[in-house]
Every structure is written in structure tokens, then in C-alpha cells.
């Protein structure tokens, strides 16, 4: 059995293997495993993605759908020592922005919840700042906020992995 660090951040681009790597890390610990899903099934394509992830994880995973109140969910789930996987912070940020929530307060709340959480936690986030500059203000704001969120969490994480073509690269 492998021991997970208290906080791991797994970054990468689209289809880089982030979720699969994060699931493998959590599954290296004894079950039960808790999966905090931030995605919302707002269209058929997203419903199919969610179904694919659920099938891949199997029945040993306990799923908690948390599109916005991530800090509260981590606080609640931290009362049990089972590892937690949050997939993904980028969708959580999208939900916050589209719902016009206070981003600074939400990020600070997440950091506070993570700082006192006892079980190992693996966070998944997209690295969105490696491409072209988006053409509209909302997309640029999203890219900037995602980059800031990733920086804040990388600073407090015990381990940071960057996924490239399905391969994990240790950043921290």
C-alpha cells in the first residue's frame, strides 16, 4: 500500500490523463474512496463524459456531486480518514464564474478547508494557460483565474504532478 501525501495537485491539458492518474493515486489506498464531482450534466456530451468516468471508477467509489460548495464538502468529508479525489477544480471555477459567485472568497474558503483536512486529498485541474490568448474578456478572465487558482493550490500542495500525453511529470 502506498501512502498518499496530504495534498496532491494533478494538472494537465485536455485528455492528458489527469483523472485516470488521480484515480490511480487514490486507489493505491484502501477503500472506500470518495469522489467529489464538480461537473454538471448540462448537455448530452457532458452526461456521456460523466457516465464514462463513473463506469471507469466502479462501485468502490462513493460519489458526491458538488458543483459549487467545495469547501463545505471537503470539511464534511474530512471527518472520515478515507482519501478524497476532487475532479475537477476547473469545472468548479467555471460553475462559480457562471453563477457570479465571489471567487476570492470561494478560493480562500477552499484553501482554509484544505489546510485543516485530515485525509489525503487529490485535486485535479486543467492547465489552461499554455495556449493562445482567448479572444473575449470572459475567456481571458477564466484563464487568468484558473492560473491563479492553480498557483495558490500548488503553493500549499505537498506534491504537484503535470500530466503530458498520459505521463506524470513531478513538478513538486
Amino acid at each position: 500500500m502506498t501512502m498518499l501525501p496530504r495534498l496532491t495537485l494533478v494538472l494537465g491539458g485536455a485528455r492528458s490523463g489527469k483523472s485516470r492518474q488521480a484515480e490511480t493515486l487514490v486507489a493505491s489506498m484502501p477503500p472506500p474512496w470518495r469522489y467529489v464531482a464538480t461537473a454538471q450534466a448540462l448537455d448530452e456530451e457532458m452526461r456521456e463524459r460523466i457516465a464514462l468516468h463513473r463506469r471507469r471508477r466502479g462501485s468502490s467509489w462513493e460519489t458526491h456531486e458538488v458543483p459549487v460548495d467545495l469547501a463545505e464538502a471537503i470539511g464534511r468529508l474530512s471527518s472520515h480518514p478515507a482519501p478524497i479525489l476532487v475532479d475537477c477544480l476547473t469545472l468548479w471555477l467555471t460553475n462559480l464564474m457562471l453563477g457570479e459567485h465571489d471567487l476570492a472568497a470561494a478560493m480562500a474558503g477552499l484553501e482554509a478547508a484544505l489546510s485543516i483536512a485530515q485525509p489525503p486529498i487529490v485535486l485535479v485541474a486543467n492547465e489552461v494557460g499554455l495556449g493562445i490568448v482567448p479572444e473575449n474578456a470572459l475567456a481571458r478572465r477564466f484563464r487568468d483565474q484558473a492560473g491563479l487558482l492553480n498557483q495558490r493550490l500548488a503553493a500549499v500542495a505537498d506534491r504537484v504532478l503535470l500530466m503530458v500525453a498520459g505521463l506524470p511529470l513531478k513538478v513538486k
Side-chain angles (χ1 to χ4, degrees):
M1 175 180 74
T2 304
M3 290 303 298
L4 280 175
R6 192 185 62 75
L7 184 60
T8 299
L9 176 62
V10 180
L11 299 168
R15 295 290 187 235
S16 63
K18 300 178 302 292
S19 294
R20 188 178 303 272
Q21 178 68 27
E23 291 164 9
T24 299
L25 292 171
V26 170
S28 71
M29 302 287 293
W33 307 306
R34 277 109 28 99
Y35 185 92
V36 177
T38 61
Q40 298 182 81
L42 301 177
D43 60 33
E44 186 57 33
E45 187 264 343
M46 187 56 85
R47 280 188 284 280
E48 289 174 14
R49 283 179 182 254
I50 291 169
L52 174 68
H53 277 248
R54 282 182 185 248
R55 282 192 305 273
R56 185 175 70 216
R57 284 194 310 269
S59 62
S60 295
W61 291 82
E62 176 186 302
T63 300
H64 301 266
E65 295 183 6
V66 183
V68 174
D69 297 322
L70 193 51
E72 183 276 328
I74 288 172
R76 180 174 33 82
L77 293 172
S78 291
S79 65
H80 187 280
I84 300 168
L85 168 56
V86 177
D87 196 359
C88 90
L89 294 175
T90 312
L91 288 173
W92 173 70
L93 179 63
T94 299
N95 297 338
L96 292 173
M97 289 181 70
L98 293 177
E100 299 182 2
H101 294 270
D102 182 340
L103 297 183
M107 287 183 197
L110 175 60
E111 285 179 298
L114 292 170
S115 73
I116 60 173
Q118 295 302 307
I121 299 176
V122 177
L123 305 170
V124 174
N126 288 307
E127 179 51 71
V128 298
L130 298 174
I132 61 172
V133 175
E135 69 177 21
N136 67 69
L138 176 61
R140 286 189 299 275
R141 181 171 175 248
F142 172 76
R143 180 217 42 208
D144 293 348
Q145 290 298 320
L148 293 172
L149 176 62
N150 289 348
Q151 286 183 53
R152 289 173 75 162
L153 295 176
V156 298
D158 301 299
R159 175 171 55 179
V160 178
L161 300 175
L162 176 65
M163 297 301 297
V164 178
L167 300 173
L169 302 174
K170 184 177 179 183
V171 177
K172 177 181 179 183

